[in-house]
């Protein structure tokens, strides 16, 4: 009998609180050791965007933000703090939809995201000086740095995914998506199948990085809040020197903008 | 140290080819035994839509289909076989977008899906009498039947997800989504968090059934074609007597139609 294909996802227990300037490679290597895990070839590490942003000090104090007239107008339409609206505009290429409570944009990194991914939950807030947390400047670069750093520390270069929870068209609820990757092919380009008339069908490309980002999000969410790093074994993703750009549909090809 | 949260996904090896009229519960129970696995409380079984459709004989022979004038017009716009266009119309509530090669609809079961999920790949085709495979009539009911049947056979009622690969707005590649569920709450309704001003934020609801459907799709895809059933251990999804309807965004709330 053929061996069953297996994937295992392990949320690292006891991951420390991350502060600006922390060395994520050191924290991850330490947490793997604490969890009695050693990196193996083919392992994937999925990190929640939030800890990457914290380590890279992507905090912004709202007191420092001066809303533009455009931000004031947007804030009124969305029923939001004008300073948040200003930050959303600065972090975005285009505003796609606005309704009370949500501003859906194309983020400067290309993904369509509510509120430009700007986060107010699970960060320490001083009521006298509120702050928010932006997405990392360049999540692909962050993922690649971590991959190389862990290779230096452990001798094994893991594939890395930085994930974030995202809303979707048509369906309720959020799912984890990959906003940065290193060492893996985000789309699994299957050889074109033929249809019943012998014609080659449109190529089926599973977005494997997003599928794994979603799975990791489930493990992070089921665990306590302090499980922002998930080790994945058995995923057998294709190696690649690319980042996550191929996951982004070109706007000229997007039927739902 | 707290134990790390773990999820394991196991693609059942050697799952038999499914034919119309087959008893899926019997096939799954047999395959679990072949793989030396016994159902445990909290286990989730994810089944590829295709084997459910095959067991329920959702095949349609194109020779039996008479395209309507509307189907002829749609087929011309989409560069498709008019009989396929006719089936897509019959399976749908509304056509949302058309471009050469793809017709995006709201399926009669509510999900937005390319070509109404009608499948021509990996099914046996007689060139003289081509056929296609529709989605199951009612995937929630199919999932519930399987859940109860396996409970009768094994004494353990697994949570069940029927998944399908779906395209998305904004992002390239397909991901697995849940088109039918039984025994689980598809959305994990987290208690409303408070924002930095002490206000309750919009509730964050991870679509856990879709996250698990995506993860299972990855395991099915990485394995050989004959791995349409995945056993998931450790997901700790909330039990519920509901189906998958809560995953569907009401069209009045959908900003991207």
């Amino acid at each position: 009998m053929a061996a069953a294909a297996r994937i295992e996802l392990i949320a690292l227990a006891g991951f420390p609180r991350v502060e600006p300037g922390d060395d994520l490679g050191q924290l991850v290597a330490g947490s793997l050791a604490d969890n009695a895990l050693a990196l193996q070839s083919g392992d994937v590490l999925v990190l929640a965007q939030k800890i990457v942003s914290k380590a890279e000090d992507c905090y912004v104090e709202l007191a420092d933000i001066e809303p533009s007239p455009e931000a004031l107008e947007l804030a009124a339409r969305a029923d939001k703090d004008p300073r948040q609206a200003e930050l959303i505009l600065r972090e975005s290429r285009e505003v796609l939809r606005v309704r009370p409570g949500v501003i859906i944009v194309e983020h400067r990194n290309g993904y369509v995201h509510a509120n430009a991914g700007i986060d107010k939950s699970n960060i320490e807030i001083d009521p006298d000086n509120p702050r928010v947390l932006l997405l990392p400047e360049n999540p692909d670069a962050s993922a690649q740095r971590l991959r190389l750093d862990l290779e230096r520390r452990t001798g094994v270069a893991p594939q890395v995914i930085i994930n974030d929870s995202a809303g979707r068209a048509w369906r309720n609820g959020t799912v984890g998506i990959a906003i940065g990757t290193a060492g893996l092919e985000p789309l699994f380009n299957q050889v074109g199948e033929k249809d019943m008339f012998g014609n080659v069908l449109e190529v089926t490309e599973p977005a494997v990085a997003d599928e794994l980002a979603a799975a990791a999000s489930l493990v992070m969410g089921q665990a306590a809040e302090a499980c922002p790093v998930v080790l994945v074994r058995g995923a057998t993703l294709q190696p690649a020197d690319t980042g996550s750009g191929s996951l982004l549909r070109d706007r000229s090809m997007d039927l739902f903008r």
Side-chain angles (χ1 to χ4, degrees), chain A residues 48-63:
Chain A
Q49 160 270 323
K50 200 167 302 194
I51 62 167
V52 179
S53 289
K54 287 179 176 178
E56 297 180 2
D57 196 5
C58 301
Y59 288 107
V60 177
E61 295 182 358
L62 290 184

Side-chain angles (χ1 to χ4, degrees), chain A residues 143-157:
Chain A
Q144 177 66 5
R145 269 197 305 277
L146 183 66
R147 169 171 159 83
L148 296 178
D149 185 66
L150 284 165
E151 182 179 33
R152 204 170 52 239
R153 292 175 187 276
T154 68
V156 177

Side-chain angles (χ1 to χ4, degrees), chain A residues 117-140:
Chain A
I118 296 174
D119 208 332
K120 299 174 298 180
S121 63
N122 294 315
I123 65 175
E124 285 174 286
I125 300 291
D126 173 357
D128 295 332
N129 190 16
R131 60 182 183 170
V132 296
L133 189 61
L134 309 184
L135 295 192
E137 182 65 26
N138 180 340
D140 281 339

Side-chain angles (χ1 to χ4, degrees), chain A residues 23 27 40 45-46 48 53 56 62 113 126 135 140 148 157 165 168 178 194 201 214 218 231 238 247:
Chain A
D23 182 334
L27 295 183
Q40 299 173 3
L45 281 167
V46 187
S53 289
E56 297 180 2
L62 290 184
H113 221 7
D126 173 357
L135 295 192
D140 281 339
L148 296 178
S165 292
R168 306 168 291 173
K194 294 191 174 183
L201 278 173
L218 182 67
L231 176 69
Q238 284 180 280
L247 290 169

Side-chain angles (χ1 to χ4, degrees), chain A residues 211-228:
Chain A
E211 291 186 323
L212 208 48
S217 179
L218 182 67
V219 188
M220 292 173 183
Q222 300 285 6
E225 281 299 335
C227 284

Side-chain angles (χ1 to χ4, degrees), chain A residues 59 72 85 176 205:
Chain A
Y59 288 107
L72 289 168
E205 288 191 312

Side-chain angles (χ1 to χ4, degrees), chain A residues 6-10 32 36-44 212 230-236:
Chain A
R6 280 173 194 253
I7 292 183
E8 190 174 27
L9 299 111
I10 308 166
L32 286 166
L37 294 163
L39 284 180
Q40 299 173 3
S41 175
D43 280 353
V44 188
L212 208 48
V230 172
L231 176 69
V232 184
R233 290 237 146 108
T236 62

